[in-house]
Amino acid sequence: MFKKPLGNLKTSAPLRGSDRRKFKQRVVTAFGVSQDEGDQLVPEGLQSIKFNTYLNEQGVAYLGPEGDPLWFTIGKGSDELIPTIYTLWKKQDLVPFVSTPPSVIPVLVGGADLMIRGVIQRPTQPIAKDQLVSVCQYDRKEEKLTLSAPLVIGRMAISSDQMTEDGKGKAVFVLHAWNDHLWNMGSKPDVPEPTVIAEATREGEDSGPQEPSTLEQEQEQLSPTQTSSSPHTTTIASYTPQAVTDILHKSLLHSISTILSSLPVSSFPIPSTQFYTNYILPYRPATTTNDVTIKNSTHKSLTTFLKAAEKASLLTLKSPQKHSQQKDLLVMSVNKTHPSVLGHVNYETVKDAEEKAAKKTKREELEKESGKRSELGVRLLWKPHLESTYLFESIGGDPKTLYTMQEIKALFNSYISSQNLANTNDKAYINLDDLLRECIDTKQESKQAMAGDEDKDASLLESEFIKREELVKRVIAKMQNWYEIVRNGETSQKKGTLKPIQVVTKVRQGRKASTYVTGFEPFVTVGPETMADELRRICASATSVSPLPGKEAGMKVMVQGKQSKAALEFLTSHGVPKQWIELVDR
């Protein structure tokens, strides 16, 4: 239903509090959940958005506060609430489930319905026709039988008691699936870890209770593989040669659709072995197992597979020359306008899953490293100086102490209260006394007032009141700037104005870009040379170090290319808070 993008999307509108409570009560009543579970499944901040499917069916999607679609309805005026995969992952037993082998899931994501022969498990309790049901993946991993979180939500095509092992026809009409276009509207988190439901055992071993149903055939093509006829053996679904062929063909279509069609002509020809390794195997569906290879297909050899693809006009081949050292067939071109390629629906591939896992590992390593290098504590401080020294002595402060903004405000609020200086008409204003007026007045302000400067209020000598925030701002302008940095429990305080680290990306001469990092000395303990070496390794780009021009002290680290993201990650990994890093593109 959502194998193509949603059309005619309307602006999302937030649900009123009363509507949200009614919505929650409908969920509690329809699905038999508790009030607390209802609050989890129907959170505050729910929004509704109208849409049309590619079949021109009208519907309404309900989005959570993070933008994830949680519920939807299909049909004009329909009030039947259907949970999305995001909601089913919050409460996986919200609806009954059936299970199916791994290779069926990509077929369902592509928009197909689940056939009876693709069902492996079903609940012991009967499921009525048209009842909502989820579809989970039944798999064997590391000698254990596992069941995934729900990956599909659909409606029963027949009642469960009508399903038989040799039955034909459809079991579930698919409404929405993981990785379809409704799913892609949300945050797309990783699939939850599967649940281990049994140990896979060999003949004669006691495996405990058996699964409630074993219809181990996949979509008319999967055949069951049994270790024995013993009642203690577990039946596992495996790929038939034809199923492997179909998956490899689908992988070829996906590769042509996504990557091969965008390669320049100069990238061809490609040796067949390289073509298979780089453009077919990585583009298998993420849910397939490692036994989906050419040798397990009906073709048995790569040459036969590629010649069948050439016969279908998907690509063109050329045999190697007789006396050439190259013995592989050469793939000369691919047909990106083939109807099968144009009609192909993209899915998550093995390569996508591996890249996601690698990013997750890298993120965990960075988080672990960041844990060792705790984030710096940064505070701005001010010290009484010149005109403000007498003021602080008079209002009970210590002129030798460093103050934070909050401490300055608290000190002045205490003085204002003790002297009853708050304006009776507006508490945001305070009446100036001689002590305050003497501190915040300057000769320049007096000259501006005498000259009739309209950009400022009348001279403070002639003013009787001022805003509290303006008073604090003017007093701080008379104080000395300091800052404090806490690193690994050690505190250092220095005089001066602390400025954020500048990460500036400049593009010159059309395409040449360089990234410059300056102002990092107060924050990081590594020197500029070490920083340059680290960024050179991370970015695989040339780096250099040079002093800043003029009297301003400090060094500048340059990295070739647009490397602001890498520089940001480097700095945050050394404990620099993000609010003290400014990214600029010029």
Side-chain angles (χ1 to χ4, degrees), residues 414-432:
S414 176
Y415 176 74
I416 291 168
S417 298
S418 65
Q419 300 299 315
N420 197 24
L421 297 178
N423 192 283
T424 55
N425 296 323
D426 189 344
K427 299 297 182 182
Y429 287 82
I430 61 106
N431 299 318
L432 289 172

Side-chain angles (χ1 to χ4, degrees), residues 421-423 425 429-434 436-437 440 457-467:
L421 297 178
N423 192 283
N425 296 323
Y429 287 82
I430 61 106
N431 299 318
L432 289 172
D433 61 5
D434 292 339
L436 295 175
R437 185 180 290 109
I440 63 178
D457 298 328
S459 171
L460 290 171
L461 287 170
E462 301 173 0
S463 298
E464 295 185 358
F465 52 84
I466 189 174
K467 275 191 172 183

Side-chain angles (χ1 to χ4, degrees), residues 59-74:
V60 180
Y62 296 91
L63 313 181
E66 304 300 326
D68 294 336
L70 302 180
W71 300 88
F72 67 97
T73 62
I74 288 294

Side-chain angles (χ1 to χ4, degrees), residues 44-219:
E44 297 281 356
L46 208 64
Q47 294 187 328
S48 65
I49 182 170
K50 294 182 179 180
F51 65 85
N52 285 353
T53 68
Y54 78 100
L55 297 174
N56 206 30
E57 294 175 297
Q58 295 182 3
V60 180
Y62 296 91
L63 313 181
E66 304 300 326
D68 294 336
L70 302 180
W71 300 88
F72 67 97
T73 62
I74 288 294
K76 187 175 182 180
S78 173
D79 59 355
E80 181 189 19
L81 295 175
I82 304 171
T84 67
I85 302 301
Y86 289 95
T87 297
L88 290 177
W89 285 2
K90 292 183 179 180
K91 184 170 175 55
Q92 297 187 15
D93 61 349
L94 187 63
V95 297
F97 80 95
V98 297
S99 67
T100 192
S103 58
V104 177
I105 296 298
V107 180
L108 302 182
V109 172
D113 295 321
L114 179 63
M115 309 301 290
I116 293 176
R117 290 187 129 180
V119 176
I120 291 180
Q121 292 176 289
R122 61 175 182 268
T124 54
Q125 297 295 326
I127 312 175
K129 181 182 178 181
D130 294 329
Q131 185 174 343
L132 290 177
V133 63
S134 65
V135 181
C136 304
Q137 177 178 290
Y138 183 87
D139 198 6
R140 176 177 182 167
K141 292 184 178 180
E142 299 178 354
E143 301 303 321
K144 294 180 180 179
L145 300 179
T146 61
L147 193 69
S148 75
L151 299 176
V152 174
I153 181 75
R155 201 185 301 280
M156 290 294 293
I158 59 173
S159 61
S160 59
D161 54 12
Q162 292 179 302
M163 290 185 185
T164 58
E165 293 189 12
D166 57 349
K168 294 184 178 181
K170 295 182 178 181
V172 178
F173 294 122
V174 172
L175 298 174
H176 157 55
W178 161 76
N179 250 3
D180 66 9
H181 285 280
L182 179 61
W183 161 268
N184 288 334
M185 290 176 63
S187 57
K188 297 181 283 189
D190 294 336
V191 179
E193 288 296 319
T195 303
V196 177
I197 56 176
E199 297 287 340
T201 60
R202 296 183 178 180
E203 181 177 358
E205 295 179 351
D206 186 3
S207 61
Q210 298 300 299
E211 296 306 316
S213 175
T214 54
L215 301 178
E216 295 92 351
Q217 292 184 336
E218 176 211 342
Q219 302 292 74

Side-chain angles (χ1 to χ4, degrees), residues 249-262:
H249 179 75
K250 189 181 184 76
S251 304
L252 175 61
L253 294 178
H254 189 94
S255 182
I256 296 174
S257 173
T258 57
I259 183 67
L260 288 169
S261 59
S262 61

Side-chain angles (χ1 to χ4, degrees), residues 35 61 91 120 134 145 155 214 233 243 328 368 376 407 425 440 452 476-477 480 544 553:
Q35 292 291 331
K91 184 170 175 55
I120 291 180
S134 65
L145 300 179
R155 201 185 301 280
T214 54
T233 58
D328 285 348
K368 187 176 180 180
L376 303 179
E407 290 169 344
N425 296 323
I440 63 178
I476 283 178
Q480 207 171 55
S544 65

